[in-house]
Amino acid sequence: MENQMDNPPNDYLVWSILSCIFCFWPTGIAAIVKSLDVRKAVSMGDREKAERSSKITKYLILATIIVGVILLITVIVIQVA
């Protein structure tokens, strides 16, 4: 029988931590939690949950970066104006 976790989904943990530190921490924390869910699902052999959590983690990281950039631009505009 072939192991389903030979090629586990990416957990994006490093990206989650970096986006939390440098961009917007509320969604960054959610990304870290989901990233840890990926690791837990992989360790339990639940490929479906791991893939679903990995996808959510990726979207949370993207949202964190977008919100962080928007906030940075807003602060710059306010400081210049």
Side-chain angles (χ1 to χ4, degrees):
M1 187 166 109
E2 183 180 324
N3 184 0
Q4 292 183 355
M5 289 299 176
D6 286 339
N7 189 14
N10 195 340
D11 62 12
Y12 302 105
L13 183 60
V14 172
W15 287 106
S16 298
I17 293 169
L18 291 175
S19 67
C20 181
I21 293 170
F22 293 111
C23 293
F24 187 64
W25 67 267
T27 53
I29 290 174
I32 291 170
V33 169
K34 270 302 181 187
S35 178
L36 295 174
D37 283 350
V38 174
R39 288 187 172 198
K40 183 177 178 183
V42 167
S43 71
M44 294 176 61
D46 189 351
R47 185 163 199 66
E48 184 180 325
K49 182 177 180 182
E51 287 177 354
R52 186 173 51 243
S53 293
S54 177
K55 192 176 203 180
I56 293 169
T57 302
K58 184 169 52 172
Y59 290 135
L60 283 169
I61 292 168
L62 189 60
T64 302
I65 293 170
I66 290 170
V67 170
V69 168
I70 289 170
L71 287 173
L72 179 65
I73 290 170
T74 303
V75 167
I76 291 171
V77 167
I78 290 172
Q79 291 296 322
V80 170

